[in-house]
Amino acid sequence: MIPAPVPVPAPADVELDLFLEALFRRYHYDFRSYSRTSLQRRADLARSRLECATLSDLQRRLLHEPDVLPTVIDAMTVQVSEVFRDPSYYLSIRREVIPHLSTFPSLKVWVAGCADGEELYSLAILFREEGLFDRTIFYATEINRRALAKAEAGVYDMDRMAQFSQNYHQAGGRASLSDYYTAAYGRAAFDRSLRRKTVFTEHNLASDQVFSEVHLVSCRNVLIYFDTTLQDRALGLFADSLARGGFLGLGAHETLRFSAHAPLYSAFDESQRIWRRNAVQGG
């Protein structure tokens, strides 16, 4: 019996694999289990920004020119968000989740994949308005160091604030969003007090470990860039991090319904992609 021929990978696939392996082995950034389509698009963006003819050229520069790493990571990660993006999600947290969280004497909130910080400030404002801010520690985590620095600075272009304000009011905001920032020179800086309870830290959902006894994990529009294996790893981290009865919020096009970890959760407001960690293991 003649064995079936082994498929020969296309050169582009080999180049992408070697580029991802170099990024992991040289700098410990692990993108190898991200969605293949997204990876190819993002790697091509990095190649274009650094004016490399091929991914092999980009790999060579990455290995021998560490200064190109921030540009590569910016291209490989997606930093697209808004303050109170998808207002109905935050309205559900305000009306449905907060009454449960208010029963705890102290709280931990993990904003996983915080990008430039818009999601963090949304939750910080919401928790302040609902009287839970002073008893809450927020963990804002991100793989991209430059994005994490932007999140900690909390400064955004002023022309984005009209949309942010509209989102805020649709999310049940109790005041004016302008009460929470100062505007100058075309930029808006959120009040420093909003981040005084926040720990900003690098974290990679592909390789790092859990935060313990968290009451709310908000990880929106991150899992859509992962393959199924990495999605399951991330959802397992969240399950291990959450206190029994804690909440998990995902993005509008994300679900844990088909995950191996789905039995650990119950639907809370599935229309807004909010689940609750079961009080008893597995049910």
Side-chain angles (χ1 to χ4, degrees), residues 82-87 162-172:
E82 294 175 353
V83 172
F84 290 98
R85 181 183 183 182
D86 299 324
Q163 183 62 59
F164 290 178
S165 295
Q166 181 179 330
N167 293 348
Y168 165 73
H169 286 295
Q170 292 177 355

Side-chain angles (χ1 to χ4, degrees), residues 24 33 47-48 51 71 83 87 139 144 167 169-170 193 196 207 247 249 253 256:
F24 173 66
S33 293
R47 178 187 57 74
S48 176
E51 300 180 342
T71 300
V83 172
Y139 297 99
N144 185 328
N167 293 348
H169 286 295
Q170 292 177 355
S193 66
R196 68 179 174 84
S207 56
F247 294 87
H253 301 290
L256 57 74

Side-chain angles (χ1 to χ4, degrees), residues 3-283:
V6 177
V8 178
D13 289 330
V14 175
E15 279 195 314
L16 181 58
D17 288 340
L18 293 174
F19 164 71
L20 296 173
E21 192 66 26
L23 188 57
F24 173 66
R25 294 181 64 178
R26 180 76 168 84
Y27 300 103
H28 307 293
Y29 284 99
D30 192 354
F31 292 95
R32 294 172 298 177
S33 293
Y34 281 49
S35 162
R36 196 72 180 183
T37 302
S38 176
L39 280 174
Q40 188 66 64
R41 184 171 61 250
R42 292 283 155 185
D44 283 341
L45 178 61
R47 178 187 57 74
S48 176
R49 287 181 178 178
L50 288 165
E51 300 180 342
C52 295
T54 65
L55 276 184
S56 295
D57 291 337
L58 180 59
Q59 178 193 339
R60 177 189 57 78
R61 292 193 63 186
L62 188 65
L63 288 173
H64 299 287
E65 302 175 33
D67 289 348
V68 308
L69 178 64
T71 300
V72 170
I73 297 302
D74 279 350
M76 296 298 294
T77 54
V78 179
Q79 312 300 330
V80 179
S81 191
E82 294 175 353
V83 172
F84 290 98
R85 181 183 183 182
D86 299 324
S88 56
Y89 169 79
Y90 292 97
L91 188 61
S92 182
I93 289 179
R94 188 187 293 271
R95 292 179 175 175
E96 308 299 333
V97 175
I98 288 293
H100 294 277
L101 296 183
S102 65
T103 64
F104 293 92
S106 62
L107 295 165
K108 294 179 182 178
V109 173
W110 179 11
V111 184
C114 71
D116 290 347
E118 293 94 331
E119 187 176 348
L120 168 69
Y121 291 105
S122 303
L123 289 170
I125 290 169
L126 192 158
F127 273 59
R128 175 172 287 183
E129 292 185 349
E130 298 302 324
L132 300 184
F133 182 82
D134 287 336
R135 56 170 131 155
T136 303
I137 297 294
F138 298 88
Y139 297 99
T141 67
E142 172 59 48
I143 190 176
N144 185 328
R145 294 177 187 176
R146 291 209 291 209
L148 197 62
K150 289 180 182 179
E152 191 163 6
V155 178
Y156 304 94
D157 290 338
M158 192 63 202
D159 61 10
R160 302 182 68 195
M161 302 314 288
Q163 183 62 59
F164 290 178
S165 295
Q166 181 179 330
N167 293 348
Y168 165 73
H169 286 295
Q170 292 177 355
R174 301 186 184 279
S176 169
L177 188 65
S178 61
D179 293 342
Y180 297 104
Y181 66 82
T182 302
Y185 305 106
R187 306 277 277 169
F190 276 101
D191 193 317
R192 293 180 61 86
S193 66
L194 289 172
R195 52 187 180 273
R196 68 179 174 84
K197 302 295 295 292
T198 300
V199 178
F200 295 89
T201 187
E202 287 184 61
H203 186 275
N204 188 340
L205 291 171
S207 56
D208 292 332
Q209 298 305 310
V210 303
F211 293 85
S212 62
E213 290 299 300
V214 174
H215 301 88
L216 169 65
V217 175
S218 191
C219 181
R220 311 199 69 234
N221 307 302
V222 175
L223 299 187
I224 54 175
Y225 299 104
F226 294 173
D227 68 13
T228 302
T229 299
L230 186 51
Q231 286 179 5
D232 267 353
R233 184 186 197 278
L235 291 168
L237 284 181
F238 300 152
D240 291 342
S241 295
L242 282 166
R244 298 294 190 264
F247 294 87
L248 170 64
L250 301 177
H253 301 290
E254 298 168 330
T255 185
L256 57 74
R257 181 177 292 179
F258 305 107
S259 166
H261 302 285
L264 300 176
Y265 296 89
S266 298
F268 183 78
D269 184 351
E270 196 166 358
S271 69
Q272 300 306 321
R273 300 298 192 266
I274 299 173
W275 285 265
R276 194 169 191 186
R277 183 72 164 85
N278 292 329
V280 178
Q281 187 80 13

